[in-house]
């Protein structure tokens, strides 16, 4: 599979069957829910210990967006990772975490280099609007090559395997930066802010306990009308789904929007994935020329999220998507940069869903609830909080037991 989880090497058996019986439909077997009579494992923290673990003051709990998302997926996993801090022993070698950190830092250097002229990103004379692809590629290569020599004592120069990974990441970063510059030229923000820190933003209240959030936003753009658009860079396979906000599986984008909404009207939020895309050249409609292949690769960097429609009516920069992909309500429009368009009313409903999840988290945290209660993503059978959890051997949760919804 590629970095997005898409299958790149289908089974030879299925390939042969498809050749022999091209008209035969292929159906995915339905996932069967597993049943267990075992009750969930419950654990409770004393208030004083909870306050120490959450860096909180009386009647106020403060966590980061990623910690809140972790707690929403499984309270016990949050306790082990963010409270007790039982981390894996890191070895000297390139892994997903180190690659993600290198991508983020290199991209930050590239963004600062592009903004070094001091001009607004929307100014036609600014580097964001005027730089050609050769200049963008040179900036991206410079940012990555400098970091490769210094990151983690030269990890990505330590041996043939690490140098190979570093070379691939440097090539991928060029495509990422070209796609990012194209996005900025399309949206023309008045200002771009990078690695912006926020603290103690109210998120929810339950009884006498207030839940606050502190953290850092990869990037947010202030648009011409003063509204703010949040971008969260992801080096993993995260994909945006409305129903994963509604069930509490993904909360970060909504929390970042809540943070910038203290000073700006919200304009939207999206993931921008940092990865090396692939193009299937075996199909009948596969791109033929080098330029077509290149464009097909760059299209995969579309922003993955939503923008909030203005109340002025239609927009010439949208493409109809009447059916909507799985997990996304039908009838939504897409922008040229890839996001779904939502009405202000739909955004308020989405915000209310996220607030309901956060209110329950506040109540559960206030009671000291850190039960082994894993949740499932909005794609049934695809991922649960147990899928990549490092603490399955100590939580006591029955692996064949139930997976819980946000209301359980």
């Amino acid at each position: 599979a590629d970095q997005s989880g898409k299958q790149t090497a289908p089974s030879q058996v299925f390939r042969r069957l498809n050749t022999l019986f091209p008209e035969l439909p292929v159906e995915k077997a339905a996932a069967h829910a597993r049943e267990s009579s075992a009750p969930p494992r419950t654990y409770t923290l004393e208030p004083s210990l909870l306050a120490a673990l959450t860096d909180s003051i009386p009647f106020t709990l403060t966590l980061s967006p990623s910690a809140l998302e972790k707690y929403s997926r499984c309270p016990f996993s949050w306790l082990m990772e963010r409270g007790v801090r039982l981390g894996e022993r890191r070895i000297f070698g390139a892994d997903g975490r180190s690659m993600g950190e290198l991508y983020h830092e290199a991209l930050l250097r590239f963004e600062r280099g592009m903004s070094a002229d001091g001009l607004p990103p929307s100014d036609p004379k600014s580097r964001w609007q005027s730089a050609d692809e050769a200049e963008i590629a040179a900036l991206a290569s410079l940012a990555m090559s400098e970091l490769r020599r210094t990151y983690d004592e030269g990890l990505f120069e330590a041996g043939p395997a690490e140098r190979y990974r570093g070379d691939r990441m440097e090539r991928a970063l060029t495509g990422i930066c070209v796609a990012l510059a194209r996005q900025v030229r399309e949206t023309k923000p008045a200002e771009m802010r990078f690695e912006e820190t926020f603290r103690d933003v109210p998120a929810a209240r339950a009884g006498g306990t207030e839940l606050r959030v502190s953290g850092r936003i990869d990037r947010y753009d202030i648009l011409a009308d003063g509204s703010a658009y949040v971008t969260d860079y992801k080096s993993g396979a995260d994909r945006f789904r409305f129903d994963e906000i509604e069930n509490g599986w993904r909360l970060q984008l909504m929390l970042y929007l809540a943070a910038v909404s203290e000073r700006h009207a919200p304009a939207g939020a999206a993931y921008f994935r940092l990865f090396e895309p692939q193009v299937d050249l075996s199909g009948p409609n596969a791109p033929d020329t080098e330029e077509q292949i290149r464009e097909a690769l760059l299209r995969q960097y579309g922003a993955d999220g939503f923008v909030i429609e203005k109340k002025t009516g239609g927009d010439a920069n949208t493409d109809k998507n009447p059916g909507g992909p799985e997990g996304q309500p039908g009838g939504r429009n897409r922008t040229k940069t890839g996001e779904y368009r939502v009405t202000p009313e739909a955004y308020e409903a989405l915000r209310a869903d996220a607030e309901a999840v956060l209110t329950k988290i506040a109540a559960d945290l206030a009671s000291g609830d850190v039960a082994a209660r894993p949740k499932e993503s909005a794609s049934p059978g695809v991922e649960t909080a147990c899928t990549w959890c490092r603490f399955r051997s100590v939580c006591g949760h029955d692996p064949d037991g139930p997976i819980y919804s946000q209301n359980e």
Side-chain angles (χ1 to χ4, degrees):
D2 62 18
Q3 295 186 41
S4 67
K6 181 181 178 182
Q7 191 178 46
T8 59
S11 164
Q12 294 296 324
V13 174
F14 278 104
R15 278 188 177 176
R16 183 60 176 161
L17 287 173
N18 286 334
T19 301
L20 293 173
F21 308 103
E23 304 300 324
L24 189 67
V26 178
E27 297 181 1
K28 185 176 180 180
H32 296 284
R34 296 172 298 183
E35 297 183 357
S36 172
S37 58
R41 281 299 191 71
T42 58
Y43 306 95
T44 305
L45 289 178
E46 293 294 328
S48 59
L49 180 57
L50 176 66
L53 292 179
T54 57
D55 188 26
S56 301
I57 59 178
F59 310 112
T60 302
L61 302 173
T62 303
L63 286 86
S64 69
S66 59
L68 282 169
E69 199 170 85
K70 170 68 74 172
Y71 183 91
S72 180
R73 295 182 183 186
C74 179
F76 185 84
S77 181
W78 166 82
L79 172 66
M80 293 294 101
E81 182 174 304
R82 304 303 177 104
V84 183
R85 299 185 181 179
L86 292 179
E88 288 183 309
R89 183 174 67 89
R90 295 192 69 180
I91 61 173
F92 186 76
D95 56 13
R97 177 177 170 181
S98 61
M99 292 169 69
E101 290 174 349
L102 189 65
Y103 267 137
H104 274 76
E105 183 59 32
L107 190 57
L108 178 61
R109 292 191 179 195
F110 167 79
E111 291 170 326
R112 287 175 173 167
M114 290 287 284
S115 303
D117 55 19
L119 296 173
S122 56
D123 191 316
K125 296 180 181 179
S126 72
R127 183 175 277 179
W128 282 108
Q129 298 295 327
S130 63
D132 59 25
E133 293 192 6
E135 185 177 355
I136 292 171
L139 264 177
S141 179
L142 177 64
M144 182 63 83
S145 60
E146 288 177 345
L147 275 174
R148 286 175 60 179
R149 293 192 296 270
T150 58
Y151 175 83
D152 201 5
E153 300 181 355
L155 168 61
F156 287 92
E157 298 288 344
E162 286 74 18
R163 284 195 295 273
Y164 170 74
R165 288 190 180 93
D167 289 342
R168 286 189 62 176
M169 291 179 67
E170 190 167 327
R171 289 194 298 270
L173 185 69
T174 299
I176 290 167
C177 292
V178 169
L180 185 61
R182 285 188 176 188
Q183 181 194 66
V184 173
R185 289 173 186 178
E186 184 68 33
T187 58
K188 295 180 173 59
E191 184 180 349
M192 299 169 69
R193 297 185 178 178
F194 313 113
E195 298 290 326
E196 191 82 359
T197 300
F198 61 92
R199 292 195 60 81
D200 296 324
V201 174
R205 179 179 290 276
T209 300
E210 182 180 38
L211 182 64
R212 295 180 182 179
V213 60
S214 296
R216 185 170 58 189
I217 303 171
D218 287 338
R219 180 184 123 213
Y220 77 87
D221 300 345
I222 301 175
L223 306 184
D225 63 358
S227 61
Y229 177 93
V230 169
T231 298
D232 188 23
Y233 295 127
K234 292 292 186 184
S235 56
D238 303 69
R239 302 309 300 252
F240 176 80
R241 293 176 62 110
F242 288 97
D243 49 6
E244 289 191 340
I245 293 176
E246 294 162 2
N247 77 351
W249 183 260
R250 297 198 190 280
L251 297 170
Q252 290 188 53
L253 287 180
M254 299 302 290
L255 289 167
Y256 293 147
L257 267 184
V260 300
S261 295
E262 291 204 318
R263 288 173 286 177
H264 308 277
Y271 298 133
F272 189 97
R273 294 181 58 228
L274 312 179
F275 74 116
E276 187 177 19
Q278 298 179 1
V279 174
D280 183 2
L281 300 178
S282 63
N285 298 319
D288 294 324
T289 67
E290 184 175 336
E291 182 62 24
Q292 288 175 342
I293 294 172
R294 183 173 172 281
E295 288 300 316
L297 290 169
L298 288 174
R299 279 198 299 272
Q300 297 182 49
Y301 288 114
D304 190 18
F306 66 93
V307 294
I308 304 168
E309 291 179 321
K310 307 302 179 185
K311 294 189 176 182
T312 54
D315 188 336
N317 293 331
T318 63
D319 299 310
K320 279 290 184 180
N321 179 37
E326 183 181 356
Q328 319 293 12
R332 295 201 187 276
N333 291 332
R334 298 291 290 266
T335 69
K336 282 188 176 180
T337 48
E339 306 97 329
Y340 292 94
R341 298 185 68 87
V342 300
T343 64
E345 294 77 15
Y347 169 70
E348 285 302 316
L350 194 65
R351 190 181 64 79
D353 288 332
E355 188 173 302
V357 174
L358 291 167
T359 300
K360 185 176 187 306
I361 290 175
D364 290 344
L365 273 170
S367 69
D369 177 17
V370 286
R373 191 172 57 250
K375 184 180 290 185
E376 188 175 45
S377 73
S379 302
V382 174
E383 184 178 356
T384 75
C386 298
T387 303
W388 307 108
C389 184
R390 303 192 302 270
F391 313 114
R392 287 176 293 180
S393 61
V394 296
C395 72
H397 176 73
D398 182 353
D400 292 319
I403 301 297
Y404 302 90
S405 71
Q406 73 174 74
N407 296 317
E408 293 179 290

